[in-house]
Amino acid sequence: MAAQSPSIGRVVHYRGPGTANGQFVPTTYPAIITAVHGDTCVDLFVMTKVGMMNLTSILLAEEPDQPSRWSWPPFVPAKS
């Protein structure tokens, strides 16, 4: 299977960084790609429990749960 390529409208995960004081922990949010700057850099429309935000030039995560990065959602097979 070929590697996925980002494109406008695709749903991805964005890992929010949390806060230094620990008030907010790093959390994964759903996001939609709004612009593509290459295979590893995109702009995102991120949806949280309390609002939405637009982020620019977000890099693809190199490690699982890397803060302030985007990643492809894990594959979940259909139930039979």
Side-chain angles (χ1 to χ4, degrees):
M1 178 178 195
Q4 296 185 65
S5 294
S7 60
I8 294 172
R10 296 284 304 269
V11 175
V12 296
H13 286 173
Y14 171 73
R15 183 73 172 173
T19 56
N21 66 4
Q23 180 179 3
F24 299 101
V25 297
T27 304
T28 301
Y29 300 105
I32 297 173
I33 296 175
T34 58
V36 177
H37 306 293
D39 287 339
T40 61
C41 186
V42 300
D43 293 353
L44 298 173
F45 175 75
V46 181
M47 296 157 276
T48 73
K49 291 181 181 182
V50 296
M52 298 163 277
M53 58 186 154
N54 288 297
L55 302 175
T56 58
S57 302
I58 305 300
L59 295 174
L60 177 64
E62 296 175 6
E63 300 173 8
D65 297 328
Q66 190 174 5
S68 302
R69 301 288 177 103
W70 71 275
S71 62
W72 295 109
F75 175 75
V76 178
K79 295 182 181 180
S80 46

